Coordinates of all heavy atoms in Angstrom, one line a residue:
Y1439 N 9.2 197.4 -34.6 CA 8.5 198.3 -33.6 C 8.8 199.8 -33.9 O 9.9 200.2 -34.2 CB 9.0 197.9 -32.2 CG 8.5 198.9 -31.1 CD1 7.2 198.8 -30.7 CD2 9.3 199.9 -30.6 CE1 6.7 199.6 -29.7 CE2 8.8 200.7 -29.6 CZ 7.5 200.6 -29.1 OH 7.1 201.4 -28.2
E1440 N 7.9 200.7 -33.8 CA 8.0 202.1 -34.0 C 7.7 202.8 -32.6 O 6.6 202.5 -32.1 CB 7.0 202.6 -35.0 CG 7.4 202.3 -36.5 CD 8.6 203.1 -36.9 OE1 8.8 204.2 -36.5 OE2 9.4 202.4 -37.7
P1441 N 8.6 203.6 -32.1 CA 8.4 204.3 -30.8 C 7.3 205.3 -31.0 O 7.0 205.8 -32.0 CB 9.8 205.0 -30.6 CG 10.7 204.5 -31.5 CD 10.0 203.8 -32.6
W1442 N 6.5 205.5 -29.9 CA 5.4 206.4 -29.9 C 5.9 207.9 -29.9 O 5.3 208.7 -30.5 CB 4.6 206.2 -28.6 CG 3.8 204.9 -28.6 CD1 3.9 203.9 -29.5 CD2 3.1 204.5 -27.5 NE1 3.1 202.8 -29.1 CE2 2.6 203.2 -27.9 CE3 2.7 205.0 -26.3 CZ2 1.8 202.5 -27.1 CZ3 1.8 204.2 -25.5 CH2 1.3 203.0 -25.9
F1443 N 7.0 208.1 -29.3 CA 7.5 209.5 -29.2 C 9.0 209.5 -29.5 O 9.7 208.5 -29.5 CB 7.4 210.0 -27.7 CG 6.0 210.0 -27.1 CD1 5.6 209.0 -26.3 CD2 5.1 211.0 -27.5 CE1 4.3 208.9 -25.8 CE2 3.8 211.0 -27.0 CZ 3.5 210.0 -26.1
S1444 N 9.4 210.7 -29.9 CA 10.9 210.9 -30.1 C 11.4 211.9 -29.1 O 10.6 212.8 -28.6 CB 11.1 211.4 -31.6 OG 10.5 212.6 -31.7
P1445 N 12.7 211.8 -28.7 CA 13.2 212.7 -27.7 C 13.2 214.2 -28.2 O 13.4 214.4 -29.5 CB 14.7 212.3 -27.5 CG 14.9 211.1 -28.4 CD 13.7 210.8 -29.2
L1446 N 13.0 215.1 -27.3 CA 13.0 216.6 -27.6 C 14.5 217.0 -28.0 O 14.7 217.8 -28.8 CB 12.6 217.3 -26.4 CG 11.1 217.1 -26.0 CD1 10.8 217.9 -24.8 CD2 10.2 217.5 -27.2
Y1447 N 15.5 216.4 -27.3 CA 16.9 216.7 -27.6 C 17.7 215.5 -27.5 O 17.6 214.6 -26.6 CB 17.4 217.7 -26.5 CG 18.9 218.0 -26.5 CD1 19.5 218.6 -27.6 CD2 19.7 217.4 -25.5 CE1 20.8 218.9 -27.6 CE2 21.1 217.6 -25.6 CZ 21.6 218.3 -26.6 OH 23.0 218.5 -26.7
E1448 N 18.4 215.2 -28.6 CA 19.3 214.1 -28.7 C 20.7 214.5 -28.5 O 21.3 215.2 -29.4 CB 19.1 213.3 -30.0 CG 19.7 212.1 -30.1 CD 19.1 210.9 -29.3 OE1 17.9 210.9 -29.2 OE2 19.8 210.1 -28.8
P1449 N 21.4 214.2 -27.3 CA 22.7 214.6 -27.2 C 23.7 214.1 -28.2 O 23.5 212.9 -28.7 CB 23.2 214.1 -25.8 CG 21.9 213.8 -25.1 CD 20.9 213.5 -26.2
P1450 N 24.7 214.8 -28.7 CA 25.6 214.3 -29.8 C 26.4 213.1 -29.3 O 26.9 212.4 -30.2 CB 26.5 215.5 -30.0 CG 26.4 216.5 -28.9 CD 25.0 216.1 -28.2
S1451 N 26.7 212.9 -28.0 CA 27.5 211.7 -27.7 C 27.0 211.2 -26.3 O 26.3 211.8 -25.6 CB 29.0 212.1 -27.5 OG 29.1 213.0 -26.4
G1452 N 27.4 209.9 -26.0 CA 27.0 209.3 -24.8 C 27.6 210.0 -23.5 O 27.0 210.0 -22.5
E1453 N 28.8 210.6 -23.7 CA 29.4 211.3 -22.6 C 28.5 212.5 -22.1 O 28.3 212.8 -20.9 CB 30.8 211.8 -22.9 CG 31.8 210.6 -23.0 CD 31.8 209.9 -24.4 OE1 31.1 210.5 -25.3 OE2 32.4 208.9 -24.5
I1454 N 28.1 213.3 -23.1 CA 27.2 214.4 -22.9 C 25.9 213.9 -22.3 O 25.4 214.6 -21.3 CB 27.0 215.3 -24.1 CG1 28.3 215.9 -24.6 CG2 25.9 216.3 -23.9 CD1 28.2 216.6 -25.9
E1455 N 25.4 212.8 -22.7 CA 24.1 212.3 -22.1 C 24.3 212.0 -20.7 O 23.5 212.2 -19.8 CB 23.7 211.1 -23.0 CG 22.3 210.5 -22.5 CD 21.9 209.4 -23.4 OE1 22.6 209.1 -24.5 OE2 20.8 208.8 -23.1
S1456 N 25.5 211.2 -20.4 CA 25.8 210.9 -19.0 C 26.0 212.1 -18.2 O 25.5 212.1 -17.0 CB 27.1 210.0 -18.9 OG 26.9 208.8 -19.6
G1457 N 26.6 213.1 -18.7 CA 26.8 214.3 -17.9 C 25.5 215.1 -17.6 O 25.3 215.5 -16.5
L1458 N 24.6 215.1 -18.6 CA 23.2 215.6 -18.3 C 22.5 214.9 -17.3 O 21.8 215.4 -16.4 CB 22.5 215.8 -19.6 CG 23.0 216.8 -20.6 CD1 22.2 216.7 -21.9 CD2 22.9 218.2 -20.0
F1459 N 22.6 213.6 -17.3 CA 21.9 212.7 -16.4 C 22.5 213.0 -15.0 O 21.7 213.1 -14.0 CB 22.0 211.2 -16.7 CG 21.3 210.3 -15.8 CD1 20.0 210.2 -15.9 CD2 22.0 209.6 -14.9 CE1 19.3 209.3 -15.0 CE2 21.3 208.7 -14.0 CZ 20.0 208.6 -14.2

Side-chain angles (χ1 to χ4, degrees):
Y1439 175 76
E1440 285 292 321
W1442 293 359
F1443 302 100
S1444 62
L1446 297 175
Y1447 171 69
E1448 188 72 38
S1451 70
E1453 290 83 10
I1454 293 174
E1455 186 175 358
S1456 293
L1458 290 173
F1459 183 75

